[in-house]
Amino acid sequence: MVAASAAFAGAAAAQEASISTSTDANLDNVSPGDTFDIDVTVENTGSSDATVVDVRVQDEPSGVTAEDAGLGLDAPAPGESATKTVSVTVGDDVASGDYSVDIFADLGNEATSTTPVEFTVSDSDTGDGDTGDGDTGDSSSVTPAIPDGEYDDDIADVEATPADLDGTAYYQGQELDVTLTGEAGSSVQLRNVQSFGAEDGNTQLSQQLTVNDNDVVNIDTEDLSSGDYFLTGVPSLPSTQDILARNDDTFSVNEQSLTAEFDVDDRTNDGVNSIDTDFEFDSNRGSYPITIHAQGDLDTEDLTNIFVAPNDNVDLAYTREDDDGETDFDEIGIVRDNSGVTEQADLADAGITDDDTYNADFDGIDAESYEFTFTGTDSTAVATDSIEVTEANEAVDFVGGVDQSAAGDIAEFNFTIEDTDDTYLQFGDEESDFVDVMYVEVDDEDEPVNIEINTRLLGTSAGVNDVYDTDNVDTFESEVHSDNGVETHPAVGLYDDDGTPIGDNGNDFTQYLDELEIIDASAGEGPTDQLIRPLQPTDYSVIAAGTTSVDDGVFDADPGGEANDELGSKVLELTQPEIGDITVHKAPEEDADDEDNVADLVEKATPSTDIAIDDQTIIQVEATGIYGSMVAGPDGEGNLNTDFDRLEDGMSSNVLYNIDEEIDTQITFEAEAGDATGNQGALEVALQGQDNGGSVTDSDVFVVLDEENGQFFVVVDTSSDDAFVNGDAPDEETTFDVLMEYDADNEDDRFEFADSKDPYSFQGNSFQNYPYLQQGETISNSANFELSPRSIVFDNLNSDQVVEAAASDSAEISGSTNVAPGSDATLRVASTNASSSFRIGNDLNVTEDGSVTTTFDLSDQEVGDEFELVYQVAGSSTDTADGVIVESVDTGEDEPADEDEGTNETADDGEDMDDGESEPADDGETNESTDGGSADDGGSTDDGTPGFGAVVALVALIGAALLAVRRQN
């Protein structure tokens, strides 16, 4: 706290009253724009004539205003005091310097006093780093330390004594004023040491100098070569012999190196690309003042705005204009910190330092090419660099002109930006009867921005993070879904109606919607009252708008919601939801959530409706208009559990259960056995998770989403009892019917939001219908599949159903199995009753049509030897058969296949899964021999693809691509 006091003046008043002031403000460091309070205490030391206390401020400096305490305070009784507060405000344009205001007080009895309150304004910039163009940069001093017109090239750069010279490094171009006390008029020599040594050292005369009347000798180093120097010639200076013997120190003159480089070749004169954030100064000197000019193309204000204002480690040292007779161009001098600079000799120690992260801001600079010259203010160092300043071209480039997405799904668009780091987006317009306005601040302007929209929730009371998911976005605000709408407002306002601002400051979104006739604000409607049901199929425009080149609002209601400065646009077409084919696949035994990637899941799957118990059943459903619900993840009360990661990572079947059973979306998915048993419901695939009282987990049933191609996959581990309800996993042949349905055939009208329920996005009035169909419509599709125990049927059976194998070193045994391709399957043949005992096991490659083929070396066996075949899957015996050795087996290999004849195989769902080409099957066998038998040593050469295989996988991927193209167009 700062305090001051004074006695009152008057006939006898000096003994009767006093005045004191105090403040909590730091009066040594007041910034422009600051306001500080002064408490004025008036003490009556004994006067009975005092009546009132009058406190005033007098003689305010220009730009400084004070709020007078004024009259109205009763005078204190003798021995007491009274306090008034005065507020002093320093204007934004007040320059740095020392100021004072006078505090005047009167007790009303002719006893008056004036007390000065002094304060220092430390900076004349805006104090908060505002560079004046609307952008907030780093704090810096743009007031020259040396007042305009006072910088003089003839004034010495360094003031020193002989002792200061010892061992000091100076730089060519510096002028040194050395004080030699009592030596006025004396002649001294400046000598350069050629070599040191008491006996053989050598020096050379550089300058013969005269000490002036002020005892100062001036040394100009501009023409001196680099080397060691000393002054000599008077008793107070060292002798040449002492210097050569190193009994006294020299000082050095050095050439200063200087690099000054822009990091880019061009910048714009507006927007985020106006700043080069990596401008570099580099020198062999620790700190150094720099002078900058642009060949006269830029004035001192421009140069200050470019190099000083945007940096917190650069201050203005001085400015000079080309009409002062001293310089050819407008120029500025810069230092690191000018707070301690009072004269030119202070510049060297206050200079800038090496750094490659200086800012150079060309905002507001005329578009053209500029060459800058950077010189050492006190040295001969010089560097030049050029940069092209261009007009800003703010743009938002959307990817694609028209994108399609089904209503109720996740719409997505992405864009890149140019010459800006933020934009306003408007989704929809007057024609589509829905509008949301978004503010987007980009994280990395060099990378694309991606925005996903849950169209099932858009326009409802859901929060912004439930509706939107963004990538490469630093700030995202939505008028409809953010708690406070869009809070980042441009200076011109967001909304106008043919030039008239809408609402306070032009930022009233509700009134904007009213002007568009989408809502009735006078009836109390707001942004979430635009829709009566979820966003319906139609075209929605997406417009990106700029703010820097508009005088009115960003968006104009008069033409129906257009941007006054459109930076880019696209159309999002929401299409009618559909249900397509349902295809059932099988895959090797594994937990249901073993794969969450669609491509990996498709790779291992094989289309089939004949599925072995314990294998995975994969139900592929082509459907749109459901993925918004899946991402939202509502519970039984409609409360949201949004997770956009489900699109990539898959989801619990419990999410599908809630959509199907717990809320009335009228979306049905089920896979149930055809017949119920007694009083028990039909066996069906379980979806109900533990959160809803069920027992199914992700390892039992899991859902993988492929929203981009309009399909999802329900994966079932048929080995798990928890994967089924109304019974355990089947152990005998069981047929399941799969149904996918959207139903709008309930009650008498279409779905409408029940706005009395919260959140109302999944709650309807009495008409619980699928919201994207007309009342009375239903769309569905179905499929079926059969679960049965693992089995194999062998070829080459005789009339006794015994497998025949040739007594050969390549005896072939083949068959077909219902086990999924890619399964870990083996076939073992063994006998202890044959002519020679044997036990041989081979790994099997199950092909896409279920066939298996392998060969054994049975050449040591005799015709008639009997043996047993054991078929194993995943290490467990699955099926057995009896076999017998015969002389030969007709395998049909002597009949060459017709190469021109393709084999068309039809999957159980009726779709042709073959492309007409036949490829030889690779059995991938691995032979093991025990008990005296010998196995084929051909090894394993499995080059087939588990699951779809090369051909079918290709067909599937092409089909997915065609499906995507169909929806895109």
Side-chain angles (χ1 to χ4, degrees):
M1 175 174 289
V2 178
S5 64
F8 275 84
Q15 314 304 319
E16 299 173 351
S18 67
I19 180 174
S20 62
T21 61
S22 63
T23 179
D24 291 327
N26 179 9
L27 298 185
D28 292 328
N29 186 20
V30 178
S31 297
D34 283 355
T35 296
F36 57 89
D37 292 334
I38 302 173
D39 294 327
V40 182
T41 300
V42 180
E43 180 182 6
N44 186 344
T45 59
S47 174
S48 58
D49 297 328
T51 56
V52 295
V53 175
D54 179 14
V55 177
R56 300 182 187 277
V57 178
Q58 298 177 332
D59 299 327
E60 301 103 313
S62 176
V64 177
T65 58
E67 179 183 354
D68 291 343
L71 300 171
L73 183 68
D74 292 336
E80 297 181 354
S81 61
T83 300
K84 298 284 285 186
T85 299
V86 176
S87 294
V88 178
T89 300
V90 179
D92 292 336
D93 298 325
V94 174
S96 299
D98 296 325
Y99 299 85
S100 69
V101 293
D102 291 334
I103 306 297
F104 169 85
D106 183 3
L107 278 180
N109 61 351
E110 299 184 352
T112 63
S113 179
T114 301
T115 298
V117 174
E118 298 177 344
F119 58 94
T120 299
V121 177
S122 60
D123 207 345
S124 66
D125 67 359
T126 55
D128 59 357
D130 192 341
T131 61
D133 58 3
D135 294 329
T136 300
D138 296 319
S139 177
S140 63
S141 175
V142 295
T143 299
I146 299 172
D148 292 345
E150 293 188 14
Y151 181 82
D152 189 346
D153 288 332
D154 294 330
I155 297 177
D157 301 305
V158 178
E159 295 175 353
T161 66
D164 295 329
L165 298 178
D166 292 349
T168 303
Y170 297 103
Y171 292 87
Q172 289 174 351
Q174 287 184 303
E175 287 192 29
L176 285 60
D177 273 358
V178 182
T179 299
L180 300 176
T181 304
E183 301 292 349
S186 299
S187 178
V188 295
Q189 297 178 0
L190 176 68
R191 304 191 68 84
N192 174 221
V193 177
Q194 303 297 300
S195 62
F196 287 97
E199 302 296 333
D200 56 358
N202 183 34
T203 68
Q204 182 178 0
L205 177 65
S206 295
Q207 294 177 6
Q208 186 76 39
L209 305 171
T210 300
V211 182
N212 66 22
D213 293 341
N214 296 318
D215 291 346
V216 173
V217 62
N218 177 267
I219 303 174
D220 187 351
T221 66
E222 183 173 357
D223 296 327
L224 297 180
S225 60
S226 297
D228 294 306
Y229 292 84
F230 64 97
L231 282 174
T232 188
V234 296
S236 61
L237 293 174
S239 67
T240 300
Q241 192 60 36
D242 285 340
I243 291 294
L244 294 179
R246 295 185 182 273
N247 295 324
D248 283 292
D249 286 334
T250 61
F251 66 90
S252 65
V253 175
N254 307 275
E255 181 181 0
Q256 180 187 348
S257 64
L258 179 63
T259 298
E261 289 182 342
F262 296 105
D263 185 59
V264 292
D265 295 327
D266 57 80
R267 289 286 80 184
T268 63
N269 58 9
D270 190 21
V272 295
N273 289 329
S274 67
I275 302 179
D276 178 1
T277 58
D278 295 306
F279 180 79
E280 178 182 14
F281 281 117
D282 184 69
S283 177
N284 60 348
R285 188 174 171 185
S287 65
Y288 42 95
I290 290 291
T291 294
I292 306 172
H293 69 76
Q295 321 303 320
D297 293 331
L298 296 171
D299 61 24
T300 59
E301 182 179 359
D302 291 333
L303 294 168
T304 300
N305 287 335
I306 294 171
F307 294 104
V308 180
N311 292 288
D312 62 353
N313 54 350
V314 176
D315 284 352
L316 192 60
Y318 73 90
T319 63
R320 287 202 302 185
E321 298 181 356
D322 60 359
D323 60 0
D324 64 359
E326 298 293 331
T327 179
D328 294 331
F329 309 112
D330 282 13
E331 67 182 26
I332 64 171
I334 62 173
V335 290
R336 180 184 69 259
D337 182 3
N338 69 8
S339 61
V341 175
T342 59
E343 57 183 354
Q344 285 181 216
D346 297 324
L347 295 180
D349 292 335
I352 65 168
T353 57
D354 292 352
D355 200 338
D356 60 1
T357 59
Y358 287 105
N359 294 318
D361 189 354
F362 296 90
D363 185 82
I365 302 301
D366 291 341
E368 62 178 273
S369 181
Y370 295 95
E371 180 182 355
F372 292 92
T373 298
F374 307 89
T375 60
T377 302
D378 61 354
S379 74
T380 58
V382 62
T384 62
D385 200 11
S386 299
I387 194 167
E388 181 81 18
V389 178
T390 62
E391 295 287 348
N393 181 29
E394 289 189 20
V396 173
D397 298 320
F398 287 97
V399 177
V402 178
D403 281 347
Q404 289 184 334
S405 181
D409 285 346
I410 307 300
E412 180 179 12
F413 60 88
N414 57 72
F415 58 87
T416 56
I417 63 172
E418 183 179 350
D419 290 346
T420 183
D421 64 351
D422 64 355
T423 187
Y424 291 91
L425 300 176
Q426 178 173 288
F427 180 97
D429 52 24
E430 184 180 45
E431 187 174 337
S432 61
D433 278 332
F434 175 80
V435 167
D436 190 15
V437 170
M438 298 154 268
Y439 170 73
V440 181
E441 182 183 14
V442 179
D443 184 27
D444 185 346
E445 304 96 71
D446 296 325
E447 296 296 325
V449 176
N450 192 75
I451 297 178
E452 294 181 323
I453 308 173
N454 189 336
T455 64
R456 181 60 178 83
L457 301 181
L458 185 62
T460 71
S461 62
V464 65
N465 293 324
D466 293 315
V467 179
Y468 293 101
D469 189 52
T470 63
D471 185 49
N472 191 31
V473 171
D474 190 49
T475 303
F476 184 87
E477 298 167 353
S478 159
E479 288 281 32
V480 176
H481 296 282
S482 295
D483 290 341
N484 299 310
V486 171
E487 297 182 88
T488 304
H489 297 146
V492 296
L494 277 172
Y495 313 111
D496 76 282
D497 185 6
D498 196 21
T500 301
I502 297 177
D504 293 338
N505 301 315
N507 295 313
D508 193 326
F509 181 62
T510 298
Q511 289 299 321
Y512 178 61
L513 295 177
D514 185 85
E515 292 291 340
L516 293 173
E517 298 183 353
I518 296 176
I519 65 170
D520 182 0
S522 64
E525 291 183 342
T528 58
D529 295 314
Q530 299 181 70
L531 304 176
I532 61 172
R533 60 181 59 90
L535 208 63
Q536 294 295 295
T538 192
D539 291 347
Y540 297 87
S541 63
V542 181
I543 302 172
T547 63
T548 58
S549 61
V550 296
D551 297 323
D552 301 316
V554 178
F555 298 102
D556 191 348
D558 182 54
E562 295 182 0
N564 285 320
D565 179 21
E566 183 178 304
L567 303 182
S569 67
K570 72 175 295 135
V571 172
L572 179 61
E573 180 185 352
L574 290 190
T575 60
Q576 186 68 30
E578 299 175 341
I579 294 178
D581 294 335
I582 299 177
T583 306
V584 183
H585 309 259
K586 59 185 175 184
E589 177 182 0
E590 193 58 79
D591 287 344
D593 60 351
D594 178 58
E595 296 288 356
D596 57 19
N597 179 272
V598 173
D600 294 337
L601 186 66
V602 167
E603 179 71 15
K604 74 174 187 178
T606 302
S608 178
T609 57
D610 180 14
I611 300 173
I613 296 172
D614 293 341
D615 280 354
Q616 279 188 349
T617 296
I618 302 173
I619 304 170
Q620 176 188 1
V621 181
E622 294 179 11
T624 58
I626 189 175
Y627 302 100
S629 298
M630 290 176 166
V631 168
D635 63 16
E637 300 298 322
N639 300 308
L640 304 181
N641 181 26
T642 295
D643 187 357
F644 280 88
D645 289 341
R646 293 184 184 121
L647 296 171
E648 299 293 332
D649 300 339
M651 68 181 195
S652 164
S653 64
N654 198 63
V655 176
L656 187 57
Y657 175 82
N658 283 333
I659 295 170
D660 185 357
E661 298 287 345
E662 291 296 299
I663 56 176
D664 290 329
T665 60
Q666 295 304 305
I667 297 174
T668 299
F669 172 83
E670 60 185 19
E672 65 178 21
D675 298 323
T677 303
N679 294 324
Q680 188 172 0
L683 183 67
E684 62 181 298
V685 172
L687 300 177
Q688 185 177 10
Q690 296 175 350
D691 291 343
N692 283 337
S695 57
V696 66
T697 64
D698 288 353
S699 64
D700 305 317
V701 181
F702 193 65
V703 183
V704 178
L705 307 184
D706 183 16
E707 190 266 348
E708 183 177 358
N709 291 309
Q711 57 186 351
F712 66 91
F713 302 81
V714 178
V715 185
V716 184
D717 176 10
T718 64
S719 69
S720 171
D721 289 337
D722 288 335
F724 300 89
V725 292
N726 300 325
D728 293 337
D731 55 9
E732 59 185 20
E733 291 185 3
T734 306
T735 299
F736 287 81
D737 296 317
V738 181
L739 174 66
M740 183 71 195
E741 181 180 77
Y742 297 156
D743 184 9
D745 193 19
N746 297 302
E747 304 298 337
D748 300 323
D749 207 344
R750 297 186 65 193
F751 174 93
E752 291 185 6
F753 287 131
D755 50 15
S756 62
K757 301 180 180 178
D758 184 34
Y760 65 73
S761 50
F762 283 95
Q763 301 288 1
N765 286 323
S766 58
F767 311 120
Q768 294 293 347
N769 285 315
Y770 182 70
Y772 304 108
L773 297 178
Q774 298 296 318
Q775 197 280 328
E777 292 182 344
T778 299
I779 57 175
S780 65
N781 211 337
S782 61
N784 59 70
F785 64 92
E786 182 179 83
L787 289 181
S788 58
R790 289 171 171 169
S791 63
I792 187 171
V793 177
F794 290 102
D795 299 329
N796 302 320
L797 297 174
N798 61 22
S799 59
D800 295 325
Q801 301 301 301
V802 175
V803 178
E804 294 183 341
S808 165
D809 60 1
S810 58
E812 179 180 291
I813 297 178
S814 62
S816 60
T817 179
N818 63 349
V819 172
S823 296
D824 178 18
T826 61
L827 180 64
R828 188 178 70 235
V829 295
S831 177
T832 57
N833 299 320
S835 56
S836 62
S837 298
F838 64 92
R839 182 184 178 90
I840 310 172
N842 280 352
D843 291 338
L844 297 178
N845 175 41
V846 180
T847 63
E848 292 163 21
D849 64 358
S851 62
V852 293
T853 301
T854 188
T855 59
F856 297 93
D857 184 358
L858 301 178
S859 57
D860 292 338
Q861 305 309 126
E862 296 180 0
V863 173
D865 283 352
E866 296 179 348
F867 60 92
E868 181 184 35
L869 299 92
V870 178
Y871 177 49
Q872 293 182 319
V873 179
S876 299
S877 295
T878 296
D879 208 346
T880 61
D882 294 330
V884 63
I885 303 298
V886 296
E887 185 172 346
S888 65
V889 174
D890 183 7
T891 62
E893 290 182 355
D894 57 342
E895 298 180 8
D898 187 349
E899 294 182 357
D900 294 332
E901 181 179 349
T903 55
N904 294 324
E905 298 174 348
T906 303
D908 289 0
D909 60 4
E911 294 186 0
D912 185 4
M913 300 301 291
D914 194 272
D915 63 356
E917 297 182 3
S918 177
E919 297 181 8
D922 185 344
D923 60 12
E925 62 191 40
T926 301
N927 297 327
E928 300 176 2
S929 175
T930 58
D931 298 338
S934 65
D936 187 346
D937 60 0
S940 175
T941 59
D942 184 4
D943 60 358
T945 303
F948 275 109
V951 176
V952 179
L954 179 61
V955 172
L957 292 175
I958 293 174
L962 291 175
L963 181 63
V965 170
R966 184 185 70 189
R967 293 199 168 94
Q968 184 72 16
N969 295 327

